Amino acid sequence: MRKFLLFAVPMVWLFAAFAAQAAEPGLTKNSIKIGIFGPLSGPASSFGEAELGIAAVYKDLNAHGGIYGRKIDIVMEDTACNPAKGIAAVKKLLSLDKVFMLHGGSCSDVVMALKPGIAKSGVPYMVATAASTSISKPLAANIFQNVPTTEAMARTEVDFAASKPGPKRVALVSQSDEWGKSGHDPAVDELKSKYHVTPVADVTFERGSIDATPQVLQLKAAKPSFIVTVLYPAPFAIFLRDAAKYGLTTPVIGSQAISIEDTAHQLRNPAEMNRVYVFYPMAAPIESKRMAKWRGIFEKYNPGVRLETSSLLGMGGAEALIAALRKAGPEPTRAKVIAALNGLHRFNTGVMANPVGFSPTDHAGAHGGAMIAYVGKKLVVIRHYAEAPK
Amino acid sequence: MAAQLVLSGIGQGSIYALVALGMTILFRVTTIVNFAHGELFMAGAFVIYALLRWGVPYPLAMLGAIVFLFALGNAVERGLMRPLAGAPHISLAMMTVALSYLLRGAVRFVWGGNVRSLPPLFSFAPVEVSGVIIDAEDLVIILSAAALLAVFFVLMRYSQLGKYAQAVTDSARGAALVGINVPAFHCLMWGVAAVVAAVASILVAPETMLYPDMGARVLLRAFAAMTLGGFGSLAGAVVGGLLMGVIEQLAGGYVSTAMIDIASYIVIIAVLLLRPAGLFGRPEVVRV
């Protein structure tokens, strides 16, 4: 009996240890392995700054002792904003690196391609900055989105435009890709369902275009009182330049993909920025005193990388994930982390405009946002939205 | 609106024409379709950007871009294309595809993927004439395309260089037999084509934004322009480019803005079906 016990007890302990390890890959006594992926190269690599910001938050956490004695072990993969490369990157993170959880994705089409596989894997996944509404709707039990969805963004943009006195003559300019469409359609719906009007003009302006003359002339003929755009930074800047060239002085609203500071640098006449508003999901302009902590973290771990809006945009998700890991306790499991995220209510990340929160039926965690604009040379929050229009 | 769209289309078309012109010059002499020409155009813009950041005055920065691109064109021919001399056309084309990715990657590595801008070449405000807005930079692009076409037309038709080009195009071996240094001539023409790309970027980059992928779309339009005008025809490249620009603008203004991107593909399909040699191209005739 004693011999049996001498053999059996270590075997049971070993088996339990292996079983625990098998159940929770990526978790050791000293580390939690997190797979970060995003567009670090390719045409959308500027959006990859979000992933650099996320990694900086985890590195900063490590520098402050980690969580319950565990350090975050970061494995970084590039998707190049390409769905096929994104699938390969995440397969590697799950199969080879055996990460405990995932954080990343700044291109909606990549995240949409990954959604079925990640949902099936059950691995907790915090989306970085990809904003398509379809990511969190329909809901996947383990996928959490921490930036305002394109639907929330578009509805807020339309409400802001329609809140101005005078007739509701709103025009739309959007890209025709997945991201553009996911902002365009709710904007049209918001105008129809809430204000009972249709856009006075509805034009497309594609990524890579170098001229917006037909779009601007059509808009000029339609005489809008506000122009709502769902455009990436380059088309947005080109559109504004051509609008100025052809004397289209209507106020314009940009999406959360736009860095208003960068746009100001790209325009020839800074005065043109006084009619530009941008939907802004974060607590304050990145150069403001309020964002100094986050700016400092990003710059400390990414020396020489130019700071822009997307650099800090993913940090709110990292803070939410850290809060969930703390809540999951000293022996976290993937199920515990998912449960902890589902129980995160009105959590102030310090980065985002509003507290974030998830529930078992709602994984679109960021609500509302703000409209920012230049008043003179100063960037200010014009209006704060605690919730996006429903 | 029509007049404005046509004028804007001529401006846009001139950009396509400038890019197509560079590709045509190289194609005439080497029969290589340079898929990296859009990236040479992009590289020129980034050279100007870098020189301006280092405090170099604008005119010198432009000159620097021309010199750099000439050297780059020469280096590409010497280092990448010459070792493949005699290889199948597909290998040569694939080398230019690889070069395009290499240049894009290199620029992205140094400057990242962010969108940047150049200061305007001129600070004249656009003027309005009978309701049509005329922009000084558009006019300069249009006039430059015309001037470059005239220069290359004269060079190709009346100069010794043109005769060499004709000889090398007709038979590289024959040209070599009569004493033309064919590899050196190819090297020179790679440099010249790259300089045309630099000129295009000098004129166009201040009008638009700088980012590593800025050449891809222009390259596609230049292909469409060459197809429309006739591959290998200098006049065809320019007329094709201008027509492409005008077609795009009119389609975008009067049909749908979604048509702007489709227009060039429709043109390529229609021309290949109806007139495969293009407007100015001659069908290939082989003596049997």
Side-chain angles (χ1 to χ4, degrees):
Chain A
M1 183 66 184
R2 199 172 161 184
K3 270 186 183 175
F4 172 76
L5 280 175
L6 273 174
F7 172 77
V9 169
M11 284 310 287
V12 167
W13 180 82
L14 263 177
F15 180 77
F18 277 122
Q21 202 176 9
E24 300 304 336
L27 193 70
T28 70
K29 200 179 164 189
N30 303 317
S31 69
I32 300 169
K33 198 183 271 189
I34 298 182
I36 298 178
F37 59 92
L40 305 176
S41 69
S45 59
S46 62
F47 295 157
E49 287 206 14
E51 279 72 17
L52 300 181
I54 288 165
V57 171
Y58 293 137
K59 287 173 187 169
D60 189 62
L61 175 74
N62 288 344
H64 289 88
I67 298 176
Y68 298 119
R70 288 189 179 92
K71 298 281 172 77
I72 304 293
D73 178 10
I74 298 166
V75 188
M76 198 100 150
E77 288 296 329
D78 180 20
T79 65
C81 204
N82 176 323
K85 285 185 185 169
I87 289 170
V90 168
K91 267 187 183 166
K92 177 187 171 283
L93 290 170
L94 294 178
S95 309
L96 284 176
D97 301 311
K98 299 193 186 305
V99 297
F100 178 70
M101 54 193 198
L102 293 165
H103 194 168
S106 295
C107 299
S108 290
D109 50 353
V110 174
V111 176
M112 284 308 294
L114 290 168
K115 188 180 174 183
I118 295 179
K120 206 173 164 186
S121 75
V123 175
Y125 169 37
M126 179 66 74
V127 179
T129 59
S132 175
T133 312
S134 317
I135 293 168
S136 51
K137 206 192 281 182
L139 179 141
N142 57 328
I143 299 177
F144 298 83
Q145 197 174 17
N146 199 62
V147 288
T149 61
T150 38
E151 179 175 354
M153 173 194 82
R155 289 187 189 279
T156 308
E157 285 185 32
V158 166
D159 267 30
F160 181 75
S163 69
K164 298 291 168 190
K168 316 284 182 228
R169 295 183 61 81
V170 177
L172 294 179
V173 187
S174 61
Q175 294 170 193
S176 64
D177 55 12
E178 153 75 25
W179 178 81
K181 217 172 141 39
S182 72
H184 167 271
D185 294 352
V188 173
D189 181 65
E190 184 77 1
L191 278 171
K192 272 187 190 165
S193 60
K194 203 162 174 180
Y195 301 102
H196 311 293
V197 293
T198 51
V200 292
D202 188 354
V203 299
T204 56
F205 188 46
E206 303 301 349
R207 290 164 74 181
S209 301
I210 56 173
D211 175 76
T213 304
Q215 289 84 350
V216 169
L217 294 183
Q218 280 194 29
L219 292 173
K220 213 175 161 189
K223 296 186 172 59
S225 56
F226 239 105
I227 299 169
V228 168
T229 70
V230 189
L231 297 173
Y232 277 170
F236 185 67
I238 291 167
F239 173 76
L240 289 179
R241 269 194 184 181
D242 280 355
K245 178 171 155 185
Y246 293 112
L248 179 67
T249 54
T250 311
V252 180
I253 305 177
S255 70
Q256 62 183 332
I258 305 298
S259 163
I260 194 166
E261 298 95 336
D262 270 4
T263 307
H265 292 140
Q266 287 153 4
L267 292 185
R268 288 171 186 178
N269 180 4
E272 287 163 22
M273 288 305 291
N274 288 336
R275 63 186 176 90
V276 176
Y277 303 83
V278 168
F279 177 79
Y280 196 70
M282 289 194 287
I286 55 170
E287 297 296 344
S288 66
K289 203 174 165 186
R290 193 170 165 189
M291 301 302 272
K293 176 189 167 187
W294 310 105
R295 232 174 25 239
I297 292 174
F298 184 86
E299 284 166 350
K300 183 178 175 187
Y301 295 102
N302 299 289
V305 179
R306 194 174 66 160
L307 184 91
E308 46 172 308
T309 307
S310 61
S311 314
L312 311 188
L313 190 53
M315 289 179 163
E319 287 297 318
L321 213 44
I322 290 168
L325 280 168
R326 287 211 171 97
K327 213 171 157 190
E331 296 304 328
T333 62
R334 285 169 168 172
K336 279 185 191 173
V337 171
I338 290 169
L341 279 168
N342 277 327
L344 212 60
H345 300 305
R346 296 201 58 75
F347 171 69
N348 189 2
T349 61
V351 184
M352 306 303 285
N354 294 310
V356 300
F358 304 100
S359 75
T361 55
D362 183 12
H363 284 185
H367 301 283
M371 281 291 168
I372 57 169
Y374 279 101
V375 176
K377 286 183 177 174
K378 199 175 174 208
L379 195 55
V380 294
V381 172
I382 298 288
R383 189 174 301 170
H384 178 260
Y385 290 85
E387 285 289 333
K390 301 281 182 198
Chain B
M1 186 154 116
Q4 186 71 70
L5 286 169
V6 169
L7 184 67
S8 170
I10 293 171
Q12 278 296 296
S14 299
I15 296 170
Y16 306 151
L18 279 171
V19 177
L21 197 61
M23 292 171 72
T24 302
I25 290 162
L26 191 67
F27 178 78
R28 273 175 77 119
V29 178
T30 64
T31 68
I32 291 170
V33 179
N34 181 13
F35 288 93
H37 198 78
E39 278 61 42
L40 293 177
F41 163 75
M42 175 272 294
F46 271 91
V47 170
I48 298 170
Y49 178 80
L51 292 175
L52 288 178
R53 297 262 298 177
W54 290 336
V56 177
Y58 218 141
L60 282 180
M62 292 191 280
L63 189 65
I66 289 174
V67 171
F68 179 84
L69 264 285
F70 183 77
L72 181 63
N74 278 267
V76 167
E77 195 282 332
R78 196 71 189 82
L80 302 178
M81 305 311 291
R82 201 177 292 185
L84 292 183
H89 261 81
I90 186 72
S91 305
L92 299 169
M94 285 314 294
M95 180 60 92
T96 65
V97 171
L99 175 66
S100 76
Y101 278 91
L102 179 73
L103 288 173
R104 246 186 270 183
V107 168
R108 197 171 284 124
F109 180 76
V110 178
W111 285 285
N114 294 326
V115 178
R116 290 152 205 279
S117 61
L118 285 178
L121 273 179
F122 315 100
S123 51
F124 304 120
V127 290
E128 191 172 335
V129 180
S130 308
V132 176
I133 290 162
I134 301 169
D135 191 55
E137 288 182 343
D138 282 348
L139 279 183
V140 170
I141 293 172
I142 294 167
L143 293 174
S144 301
L148 272 178
L149 172 68
V151 166
F152 281 105
F153 181 79
V154 170
L155 278 177
M156 290 295 176
R157 177 150 289 196
Y158 301 109
S159 76
Q160 195 67 18
L161 185 87
K163 287 176 183 148
Y164 283 179
Q166 191 62 49
V168 172
T169 308
D170 284 349
S171 167
R173 180 175 290 189
L177 283 172
V178 296
I180 298 171
N181 185 342
V182 175
F185 191 71
H186 278 173
C187 195
L188 173 73
M189 295 318 283
W190 265 94
V192 169
V195 165
V196 176
V199 172
S201 59
I202 287 167
L203 296 167
V204 178
E207 276 276 272
T208 180
M209 298 291 151
L210 272 66
Y211 50 101
D213 296 274
M214 64 185 280
R217 185 185 162 99
V218 175
L219 182 81
L220 177 70
R221 298 304 192 275
F223 270 126
M226 288 171 78
T227 313
L228 179 59
F231 261 81
S233 163
L234 294 176
V238 172
V239 174
L242 294 176
L243 282 173
M244 276 299 310
V246 173
I247 289 168
E248 275 185 2
Q249 296 281 312
L250 290 176
Y254 287 110
V255 184
S256 162
T257 45
M259 285 295 294
I260 295 172
D261 262 28
I262 306 167
S264 56
Y265 295 102
I266 294 174
V267 166
I268 290 176
I269 292 168
V271 171
L272 289 177
L273 286 175
L274 301 173
R275 194 178 160 86
L279 296 175
F280 290 80
R282 276 175 294 188
E284 200 169 308
V285 180
V286 179
R287 192 189 293 261
V288 289

